[in-house]
Structures are given as structure tokens and as C-alpha cells.
Amino acid sequence: MSPRHLERLLQIDSLLRTTQRPTTLRLAKELEVSERTVRSDLAFLRDRFNAPLEFNRKKGHHYTEPEWRLPSIPLTKGELFALTVGARMLEAYTGSPYALQLQSAIARLSERLPETIWVNVQQLAQEHILFGAGAEVDLDPDIWHKIEDACSLHKRVMMTYYTASRDAISERKLDPYLLHVYRGTNLYLIGYCHSRQKFLWFRIDRIKKLEILPEHFTPDPQFNAKEYIGNVFQHEVGDKQLDVEIWFNAKTAPYIRERRWHYTQEIEEHSDGSLTLKMRVRGINDLKRWVMWYGKGAVVKSPPELVEFVREEIEGMRNNYALETN
């Protein structure tokens, strides 16, 4: 079956479900084909798909079993449920550029299922599965889709970018390589920055303006995306790899054991129930924030620069909360 034929069958199916039952002549006019073609398509529906079709002068062409659906898209109830839950997950992560498109696709797929199945799927997904994404991001879908095009076409971009750590706006020429979604709400563009002469990560919601340039770039054959992302801790690249050791007390250790934090990690268990997490990663800013999340339950043992980094942060916090004396 050609795509054109399939499209015509879908149109006929849609017209047959309207309250104004169509005649052969009306179908031919709507589809801009001959009545002979329409009769052939109707016969095809009956013979190939066992469509319960009938015709009479009062009712025109119609389905005798309204629940029957044209099996043009072989989706099971479970598959449709998975897509529905996926759409609701994207809704929860405000700013996702694909939420609306996925919702539209699911709505179109649902037209091929009996109404009772669709209602049951919707009810189960809405009433029994809830998502919470925490902080929301303000994402410009137009910028996201421009980045998609630039990555696929290997075109350079010029962007206006806000750097939060310096509270500054800058203009960047970039060779865009990857779009990376981290923890659902954090969307990053990874690319070669011409001003810094190295690969960097950019938060997409901090891109204020983006223009696709006419010039193409040739991707670096030495760049391995999986290896590059695998070496970082969370989303910080860093300039060099660091051998990290962090001790977690017995109360905190179960939370460390239950996840794999990095592909290089090794865990050394101690007799008192505590453990030491060892891994080789890049960057220490994210490591510092992650370690401090566990408060007194975690102690950095190495590298020395991370130990000092955490110590300075704790000292600064102590100063912020110091009691005033007369």
C-alpha cells in the first residue's frame, strides 16, 4: 500500500464517522478522485480489513459497528499507555520542547482505538500516576528547534548567552554538537566555543538569542559523545580529571549504595557501616554542591583542591550565620 493510498483510506475512515453519512459522490468530491476509485477503496476496506461497511439511500456509507477501528497503526493498549504517561511526564517538566508535539501525536493515535480503551488509558494515566519536577525553566521552543537544525546540519551558530556565575551577557560563536537533557528540567547545548577554544556546556534556557550562520563546520573525529559525557560528574566538564574519594557515614551510606553515581565509581565498605566512594571525574563545582547536600554525613578525602573548596564554602556559611555579639 502506497502512502498516498493509506492517506486516502484514513480520510475515508474519518468521513465515514461524521454525522452526515457520505455518498459515493460526496466522498469522490472530498478526496478529489473518481467515484470508481472510491468504490475500489471501500471494497478494499471490506476485503482487507473486514470493515463493517454498509450503504443505503437514507444513511449513506456507514459503519454498522461504530467501535470498529482501522488497524493502520498497530499500537497495543500498553504501548499507548506508555506514550500517554510519557506525555504527562514531559508536561511535568515545564519547558520541554516536545510536550505539545507528543500530546498531538497521541491524540491522533487515539483515533485508531476504540473509545472505551482510550478513555480507560487516559483515566489510569491521569488519576493514578503523578509527576513533580521541582523548579521550572523558561525555555524558548524556537531556540531549541533552531539548535536541533544546527546540530543535524552541522551549521555554526551565533548566540547571545547569559552566564549566571558572572552575571554577564556575552556573544558566542559555536559549533553545536549535542543536545543533552539532564534530570528532565536541565537542558544543555554542548559545542565547541570559538572564543574559549574548547568544548563547553550551555544551559539552553540561558540562551537569549540564537542565529544559525550560513557556514558549516566539520565535526572533530576525535570527539566521542558518550565518552565525553561519561567523564563528567553531573554536568560540569572541568579542565582535568580528578581522583576523588569521599567518605559517607553509616547513616548516609545507604543512599550512596542505592545508585550508580559515575561509571568509574568504586565503593569501599567499612566495618562500621560507613563507606568511601572513589571515582575519576572532571570538574569540582558540581562535586562540591553534591557533597554538601549530605551535610555532616559526607567528608571529602581527596583531591586536596576539592577539600579546600568545601572548607572555604563551609567557612563562608559559618560567617553568614555567625551570632552577632555586642
Side-chain angles (χ1 to χ4, degrees):
M1 184 190 307
S2 69
R4 186 175 180 181
H5 188 198
L6 175 59
E7 182 181 359
R8 196 167 63 244
L9 292 178
L10 292 173
Q11 287 179 284
I12 291 175
D13 178 74
S14 179
L15 289 169
L16 290 174
R17 297 183 188 282
T18 61
T19 55
Q20 296 179 344
R21 304 290 175 79
T23 63
T24 304
L25 178 59
R26 183 192 161 199
L27 287 172
K29 288 182 177 180
E30 290 281 351
L31 301 173
E32 298 181 346
V33 295
S34 67
E35 292 183 60
R36 181 178 178 181
T37 298
V38 169
R39 285 191 288 270
S40 175
D41 286 340
L42 292 171
F44 186 89
L45 286 171
R46 279 192 296 266
D47 298 340
R48 179 68 65 88
F49 297 117
N50 296 315
L53 276 170
E54 280 192 4
F55 174 80
N56 60 49
R57 293 181 180 278
K58 292 184 178 181
K59 293 186 176 182
H61 293 287
H62 63 281
Y63 290 124
T64 58
E65 299 173 19
E67 286 290 298
W68 181 86
R69 289 295 184 272
L70 178 64
S72 57
I73 303 173
L75 266 186
T76 66
K77 179 180 176 180
E79 289 169 334
L80 183 60
F81 177 71
L83 284 172
T84 304
V85 171
R88 295 204 60 243
M89 188 182 300
L90 287 178
E91 279 184 309
Y93 295 130
T94 302
S96 172
Y98 299 116
L100 292 178
Q101 289 92 330
L102 185 54
Q103 290 167 3
S104 175
I106 291 171
R108 293 176 65 184
L109 289 172
S110 70
E111 296 173 0
R112 308 266 70 81
L113 287 177
E115 184 177 356
T116 52
I117 292 180
W118 173 238
V119 170
N120 290 339
V121 166
Q122 286 287 80
Q123 183 177 13
L124 181 59
Q126 292 177 6
E127 296 182 4
H128 300 284
I129 300 180
L130 301 177
F131 297 94
E136 299 178 355
V137 296
D138 184 15
L139 181 69
D140 184 339
D142 182 59
I143 288 178
W144 175 274
H145 294 307
K146 282 183 178 179
I147 294 172
E148 284 181 321
D149 292 339
C151 287
S152 63
L153 298 173
H154 297 151
K155 282 200 167 186
R156 289 198 172 103
V157 300
M158 180 65 73
M159 67 180 184
T160 303
Y161 187 74
Y162 170 69
T163 303
S165 60
R166 293 189 285 108
D167 190 24
I169 297 287
S170 61
E171 300 293 325
R172 309 278 188 122
K173 180 182 283 190
L174 192 79
D175 295 349
Y177 274 62
L178 296 172
L179 286 163
H180 182 55
V181 181
Y182 176 70
R183 290 185 177 177
T185 55
N186 296 318
L187 308 175
Y188 291 91
L189 169 60
I190 302 172
Y192 182 80
C193 177
H194 286 259
S195 59
R196 295 282 298 278
Q197 296 288 296
K198 65 180 187 179
F199 285 94
L200 295 175
W201 292 46
F202 298 93
R203 274 263 300 267
I204 294 178
D205 57 305
R206 291 177 181 164
I207 299 175
K208 304 303 179 183
K209 183 179 178 182
L210 185 134
E211 177 189 359
I212 299 178
L213 301 177
E215 54 196 278
H216 289 78
F217 70 90
T218 301
D220 183 352
Q222 301 300 315
F223 181 82
N224 185 307
K226 290 184 178 180
E227 181 179 324
Y228 179 79
I229 293 177
N231 283 333
V232 307
F233 184 78
Q234 296 191 355
H235 63 266
E236 184 186 7
V237 180
D239 294 324
K240 62 179 180 179
Q241 286 191 322
L242 301 168
D243 290 315
V244 176
E245 292 188 17
I246 305 169
W247 175 85
F248 294 89
N249 65 17
K251 187 175 181 179
T252 309
Y255 300 102
I256 304 304
R257 292 190 190 97
E258 69 182 1
R259 294 190 184 185
R260 185 161 187 83
W261 301 97
H262 197 264
Y263 79 99
T264 65
Q265 78 175 43
E266 295 178 6
I267 290 180
E268 180 183 344
E269 299 283 356
H270 305 303
S271 58
D272 62 353
S274 65
L275 62 82
T276 298
L277 176 67
K278 302 177 182 180
M279 51 189 172
R280 187 172 177 80
V281 302
R282 292 181 180 273
I284 61 174
N285 286 285
D286 277 345
L287 271 171
K288 179 199 71 174
R289 287 187 283 268
W290 180 69
V291 167
M292 296 190 69
W293 171 268
Y294 295 100
K296 64 182 181 180
V299 179
V300 177
K301 298 297 184 179
S302 67
E305 54 262 55
L306 180 56
V307 174
E308 185 60 27
F309 207 19
V310 173
R311 183 181 290 117
E312 289 176 356
E313 191 73 18
I314 294 172
E315 187 62 31
M317 293 175 66
R318 183 182 291 113
N319 292 336
N320 287 343
Y321 289 95
L323 294 176
E324 295 184 4
T325 57
N326 295 325

